Amino acid sequence: MELFIDITLLTFLCITALAITVIRKLFCAVMLAGIFSLLSACLFVSMDAVDVAFTEAAVGTGIATVLMLAALNLSHSREKCPPYQPLLALLVVCTTGAVLVYGTMDLPAFGDATAPIHHHVAPRYIEQSQQEIGPPNFVTSILASYRGYDTLAETVVIFTAGLSVVALLGIRDRRGGQSITTDRSAMKGYLVLRVVTKLLLPFIFLFALYVQFHGDYGPGGGFQAGVIFASGVIIHSLTLGRDRTLKAFPQRFLTILATAGVLLYGGTGLAAMVRGGNFLDYSVLGATALAGQHLGIFLVELGVGVTVFASMTLMYYAFSYRKEA
Amino acid sequence: MLEAIYGASCLAILAVMGLALLRAVLGPSAFDRLMAVNMFGTKTVLLISVFGFLTGRPDFLDIALIYALVNFLGTIAVLRFFEGRKTPACYDEPAEEQKE
Amino acid sequence: MEITAIITALCLVLGSLLGITGGIGVYRLPDFFTRLHACGITDSACAFLILSGLMFQTGTSLETVKLLFILIFLLITSPTSTHALAKAALNSGETPLMEQQQTQQKREER
């Protein structure tokens, strides 16, 4: 039964991908990309990768669609036809694909218990993370503690991406003069939408906080929470108008927040060094090793969440406020 | 008994997803595609919920919850995208295809 | 067999049937507004039936609350987006099939 569901989802995924490559209208491609994301989230769920599915769900439908539309807004509505027949490119792609398929033949079978991946570090993560780190969801322990360096680098990458988008596109923060009531970017004609948005926004922010602080026990963590929080801000700005959003979350505040998140992460690592441990070794932070790990993971996840939220919102500002101002 | 019902529901939802996917690929208007994506989102919520019960681990519900909350952000964004334009039909008109 | 299991089975089967009806409607109906009505009506009803059917299986636990919240949010957002979609389509000049037929009839009468 589950196998059949997997196969069906995979078929849908292939159809969507093919349609995206064939369709030249970029708007349709964006819509299909939304479906692609929904399908891949379903596949991740059926493969038991709950945290990955959670990330896909947080990023895929909301932020990705919004950013693609905003980029589309700044460019043309159709993909340009290449002036030549890309036969060579097709050949290269087919050859690469064939080589990759040939390569997968040497891989262990799906679900093979004797595969090397299950015997390297995975047993230690699964069996001992409860005693060594603490959180019941060992994905969180791996991301925040065992692989703390990787996550630090990822956070820095997101921070850098946010900064570069802002540096390249710029945000025109129009101050004074314009009052909220004359904000033309609000959806005046959609009263129902505005009311429902106001109703839902508190729940979205609350759910983001739940994801942030419940990441030790269930799926989720700083990254997903930041993205959900940013989605809330984007919904606010889309329906209630840009001026109100800029008033609630000014650009300067977000820039400081993004920096503060990365500094919090790095600072936790440095604090561990000051207390006599290695960089990002949280065990020395508390009275016992477990308490230290708990505190360290809490701070680190907070740093990730804050940075992701601020960077995503800054990117959205940069993309969508460029033309309107 | 209930297992079979869960499975049947999953299959039904998958079938609906397929039909919505067809509508999204075929178009013809941009709003049709948007509607299909919207419908696909709702069906994804249902599929994830039922699938959790089919496999006996209902801890996937957080994902369904996030979709239920955030999914309509995409719809709002597209509507905003169209709002400033007089003719969103130019984004997807069969006539445009025939011109080429 | 327990009574809750029967209720769950009934709800799920009904919900699935409704969902398939909506899917066929979305695929087969002739113009945007008819398709939207097929999608909009069945989406909410199907979600309501399936989720409340599942709720009978969880007893009183965190899962029940989560299902309830999913249901509430779906029942709020799904009609809202349907409404906004219809409004946007109407504003941008998409005419319902009936209106098209009426104008065509008038033209023929002349």
Side-chain angles (χ1 to χ4, degrees):
Chain A
M1 190 66 202
E2 285 167 44
L3 188 69
F4 182 76
I5 293 175
D6 277 356
I7 292 173
T8 320
L9 284 175
L10 211 57
T11 319
F12 286 169
L13 208 62
C14 291
I15 294 174
T16 320
L18 276 178
I20 290 178
T21 55
V22 168
I23 281 180
R24 292 226 168 263
K25 290 164 219 146
L26 289 177
F27 173 75
C28 312
V30 172
M31 291 287 90
L32 286 173
I35 289 187
F36 192 87
S37 144
L38 288 166
L39 277 171
S40 39
C42 286
L43 260 180
F44 289 140
V45 165
S46 80
M47 298 255 174
D48 255 354
V50 187
D51 281 80
V52 188
F54 210 80
T55 315
E56 183 66 48
V59 180
T61 45
I63 297 237
T65 312
V66 170
L67 286 184
M68 277 197 269
L69 281 177
L72 195 58
N73 204 9
L74 300 176
S75 76
H76 294 287
S77 64
R78 291 180 69 84
E79 185 184 347
K80 286 207 172 68
C81 285
Y84 53 88
Q85 291 288 323
L87 282 178
L88 182 67
L90 184 70
L91 189 74
V92 170
V93 168
C94 286
T95 320
T96 319
V99 170
L100 283 178
V101 169
Y102 177 71
T104 56
M105 297 199 178
D106 282 343
L107 289 180
F110 177 65
D112 186 2
T114 58
I117 185 101
H118 299 309
H119 293 279
H120 183 46
V121 284
R124 178 170 166 201
Y125 290 161
I126 294 171
E127 285 156 15
Q128 290 177 28
S129 76
Q130 296 275 344
Q131 291 94 47
E132 286 179 353
I133 313 289
N137 179 10
F138 60 78
V139 176
T140 305
S141 356
I142 294 173
L143 284 182
S145 189
Y146 287 118
R147 297 270 167 188
Y149 283 37
D150 298 6
T151 313
L152 175 62
E154 279 158 22
T155 315
V156 172
V157 164
I158 291 168
F159 173 66
T160 320
L163 277 198
S164 10
V165 169
V166 173
L168 286 174
L169 293 176
I171 301 171
R172 293 181 204 159
D173 192 355
R174 201 175 25 170
R175 293 214 168 269
Q178 193 102 5
S179 76
I180 289 170
T181 43
T182 58
D183 185 359
R184 280 171 59 221
S185 65
M187 292 181 100
K188 279 278 173 264
Y190 297 88
L191 186 65
V192 177
L193 213 55
R194 290 166 65 100
V195 171
V196 167
T197 306
K198 280 185 186 167
L199 199 73
L200 275 183
L201 271 181
F203 289 104
I204 294 179
F205 289 139
L206 193 64
F207 186 62
L209 291 178
Y210 163 77
V211 171
Q212 169 82 46
F213 297 116
H214 197 257
D216 295 2
Y217 304 97
F223 184 81
Q224 290 92 333
V227 172
I228 298 172
F229 217 92
S231 305
V233 175
I234 291 175
I235 291 183
H236 184 270
S237 129
L238 282 174
T239 47
L240 302 178
R242 166 192 48 176
D243 289 358
R244 287 172 101 165
T245 313
L246 275 181
K247 213 168 191 174
F249 302 94
Q251 187 204 343
R252 180 175 289 270
F253 169 67
L254 287 176
T255 322
I256 294 173
L257 219 55
T259 324
V262 177
L263 283 180
L264 182 62
Y265 201 136
T268 312
L270 283 183
M273 280 174 86
V274 170
R275 298 286 300 259
N278 287 324
F279 185 65
L280 287 178
D281 176 15
Y282 316 127
S283 300
V284 292
L285 286 176
T288 61
L290 273 187
Q293 290 284 354
H294 194 77
L295 181 67
I297 289 178
F298 177 82
L299 289 175
V300 160
E301 290 277 354
L302 196 65
V304 174
V306 165
T307 301
V308 168
F309 157 66
S311 305
M312 290 286 174
T313 317
L314 276 177
M315 275 189 225
Y316 165 73
Y317 279 4
F319 269 112
S320 72
Y321 294 166
R322 185 176 164 78
K323 223 173 187 179
E324 289 176 12
Chain B
M1 163 65 192
L2 268 179
E3 290 281 300
I5 300 275
Y6 289 147
S9 304
C10 275
L11 289 189
I13 296 169
L14 275 177
V16 182
M17 279 175 146
L19 289 167
L21 181 62
L22 265 179
R23 184 43 73 200
V25 173
L26 293 178
S29 82
F31 292 113
D32 278 308
R33 293 175 207 263
L34 184 51
M35 175 191 75
V37 174
N38 204 353
M39 188 176 177
F40 214 95
T42 324
K43 290 298 172 299
T44 310
V45 173
L46 295 182
L47 182 69
I48 291 175
S49 315
V50 180
F51 191 82
F53 280 83
L54 176 70
T55 49
R57 283 158 309 169
D59 46 333
F60 298 140
L61 285 177
D62 278 343
I63 303 169
L65 193 54
I66 182 178
Y67 269 130
L69 270 175
V70 183
N71 196 28
F72 89 131
L73 167 59
T75 316
I76 300 177
V78 177
L79 293 183
R80 268 307 294 274
F81 178 72
F82 281 152
E83 207 190 21
R85 290 148 218 266
K86 281 280 166 280
T87 52
C90 77
Y91 280 87
D92 210 328
E93 186 88 328
E96 201 185 20
E97 293 257 88
Q98 289 158 13
K99 263 183 230 161
E100 291 173 346
Chain C
M1 200 158 108
E2 281 180 60
I3 189 83
T4 50
I6 296 176
I7 296 176
T8 306
L10 261 179
C11 282
L12 282 181
V13 168
L14 264 180
S16 310
L17 281 179
L18 258 178
I20 290 184
T21 319
I24 294 174
V26 163
Y27 179 61
R28 291 279 301 171
L29 286 174
D31 84 321
F32 170 71
F33 290 95
T34 47
R35 280 178 219 140
L36 188 66
H37 116 270
C39 154
I41 291 176
T42 54
D43 246 16
S44 313
C46 168
F48 178 76
L49 280 171
I50 288 187
L51 289 177
S52 49
L54 292 180
M55 252 188 275
F56 278 102
Q57 286 306 306
T58 51
T60 41
S61 62
L62 187 62
E63 267 81 48
T64 326
V65 182
K66 277 183 189 167
L67 280 173
L68 189 69
F69 269 99
I70 295 173
L71 183 55
I72 292 173
F73 291 139
L74 273 187
L75 284 187
I76 294 174
T77 56
S78 163
T80 311
S81 41
T82 310
H83 158 83
L85 251 174
K87 190 163 181 165
L90 209 58
N91 280 350
S92 75
E94 197 127 338
T95 42
L97 196 61
M98 213 164 108
E99 207 170 297
Q100 285 174 20
Q101 284 169 346
Q102 278 172 353
T103 46
Q104 208 171 8
Q105 266 179 2
K106 273 181 198 164
R107 230 177 268 156
E108 281 167 10
E109 280 167 17
R110 276 175 206 164

